[in-house]
Amino acid sequence: MNFYIVDDDPAVPMILRRIIEQNMNNTVVGESSDSTKAFAALAQLNVDIVLIDLLMPGMSGIELINKLRQIRSDLHFIMISQVRDSELRAQAYEAGIEFFIDKPINLIEVKTVTEKVIQSIQMSHKLSNIQSLVSGVSVTDDHQTQQLKNNQKNANFGRSPIPWNCL
């Protein structure tokens, strides 16, 4: 997975990079201490997950997420902050973050949260692949089409095509 880190504290990206890149499948493709520069970079880079500070000079993390959502609906966000204000956290979730990591940075929390987001992305990709495979099925025989519809109907309602009392 490709990560991008946005935080105005220079120590935080350094720590996060070390934690994230311990997994050889993860790469930090960029980092920024400025929201405007991060926006420009994230509009162009191949990024899956953005770790973003809540309170940034100029544009807040929430504002940045809202702007990015307009052009990149594929990005996944993890918010990082020492702010404990429940209203600000609620706004972050409404903007589209998946998890909140508290500062100071905790190794186990970062690993756990990033792994959960990675698993979520991988599951979404698998489901998309399954959907494209299923929608690509063409059945020409009317009997087969009806049988497929009946099976789907029974699966949707949790009923067996064979009545239980006949078993």
Side-chain angles (χ1 to χ4, degrees):
M1 288 286 149
N2 290 334
F3 289 79
Y4 193 93
I5 303 168
V6 185
D7 199 304
D8 58 332
D9 179 349
V12 172
M14 185 176 63
I15 294 166
L16 289 172
R17 178 183 289 270
R18 259 191 266 143
I19 295 169
I20 291 166
E21 291 184 341
Q22 283 179 351
N23 180 336
M24 292 177 58
N25 295 323
N26 296 337
T27 304
V28 175
V29 296
E31 54 188 65
S32 180
S33 60
D34 178 85
S35 296
T36 306
K37 289 179 183 174
F39 179 78
L42 287 164
Q44 298 177 358
L45 289 172
N46 178 19
V47 176
D48 302 297
I49 301 169
V50 181
L51 289 105
I52 185 168
D53 189 12
L54 174 60
L55 299 178
M56 302 272 297
M59 183 181 355
S60 75
I62 294 171
E63 292 169 319
L64 178 57
I65 290 169
N66 286 328
K67 281 184 72 173
L68 285 167
R69 283 265 180 235
Q70 294 174 9
I71 61 167
R72 296 279 312 267
S73 61
D74 61 320
L75 292 175
H76 299 265
F77 297 97
I78 300 170
M79 185 69 69
I80 308 159
S81 186
Q82 60 190 14
V83 174
R84 303 282 190 253
D85 182 81
S86 59
E87 189 172 315
L88 275 175
R89 285 179 178 234
Q91 289 175 15
Y93 279 106
E94 287 171 8
I97 70 164
E98 295 185 35
F99 286 97
F100 210 102
I101 294 176
D102 290 313
K103 288 182 182 178
I105 301 299
N106 176 306
L107 170 77
I108 295 169
E109 183 179 23
V110 172
K111 280 184 171 184
T112 302
V113 166
T114 55
E115 286 172 9
K116 286 188 183 297
V117 174
I118 290 168
Q119 288 171 354
S120 173
I121 293 169
Q122 290 171 339
M123 186 61 70
S124 291
H125 288 155
K126 287 177 183 177
L127 288 173
S128 292
N129 289 340
I130 290 169
Q131 284 176 333
S132 66
L133 288 172
V134 169
S135 66
V137 172
S138 62
V139 180
T140 55
D141 183 10
D142 287 337
H143 177 70
Q144 287 177 325
T145 303
Q146 189 58 44
Q147 198 172 21
L148 184 62
K149 285 180 182 177
N150 287 341
N151 289 343
Q152 185 177 18
K153 184 178 173 183
N154 288 330
N156 288 342
F157 292 108
R159 286 185 264 167
S160 170
I162 302 169
W164 289 105
N165 59 0
C166 293
L167 295 178

